[in-house]
Amino acid sequence: MWHDDKIELLVRTGGGHDDDFNPVKADENWIDLGACKIHGNQAARTIPSADGKDDVYTYQVVLTSILSVIPKLGDRVRITKADGTVSNVERRVKGFGTVKRKSCIFL
């Protein structure tokens, strides 16, 4: 059954230093990336990581639409399943891929 699961990307704006060189906290905004389907990884499958080693991912997010903002490796995302089994879980992006002509993000 298809659920309208949700994935959001953390975008930081501002930050840096003020005129007296004091640190200024960056604003954190969550951007909704659209409807998706979230699958868990109970089989402990792996994907190749940037350093050449295999990395076990926790969630596979299958996107239903083309994204206007594409997360990069290492970006923080927040996922929520419509059925309530996963709620506001934050993870880092570990990889990308395609499955049956749909874009996937591995967390």
Side-chain angles (χ1 to χ4, degrees):
M1 181 164 81
W2 188 265
H3 295 288
D4 287 326
D5 299 338
K6 189 166 109 176
I7 182 169
E8 299 172 305
L9 173 67
L10 176 65
V11 177
R12 292 191 174 127
T13 56
H17 294 84
D18 62 7
D19 294 338
D20 296 325
F21 297 104
N22 296 319
V24 176
K25 186 176 179 183
D27 293 331
E28 294 184 351
N29 297 316
W30 292 95
I31 296 175
D32 187 17
L33 297 180
C36 61
K37 177 68 177 165
I38 299 170
H39 302 281
N41 184 15
Q42 292 83 10
R45 290 184 290 246
T46 61
I47 57 171
S49 63
D51 62 359
K53 298 178 182 176
D54 288 342
D55 196 6
V56 177
Y57 62 92
T58 308
Y59 295 104
Q60 175 185 6
V61 180
V62 180
L63 303 167
T64 60
S65 61
I66 297 173
L67 300 177
S68 60
V69 177
I70 299 174
K72 300 181 293 272
L73 290 175
D75 281 352
R76 281 182 32 203
V77 294
R78 181 168 60 189
I79 56 174
T80 302
K81 286 186 70 71
D83 63 2
T85 56
V86 176
S87 179
N88 292 330
V89 174
E90 290 184 26
R91 293 279 190 256
R92 295 226 179 251
V93 175
K94 291 186 177 184
F96 302 97
T98 56
V99 174
K100 297 182 182 178
R101 298 183 187 170
K102 295 192 186 229
S103 298
C104 293
I105 299 174
F106 298 97
L107 311 175

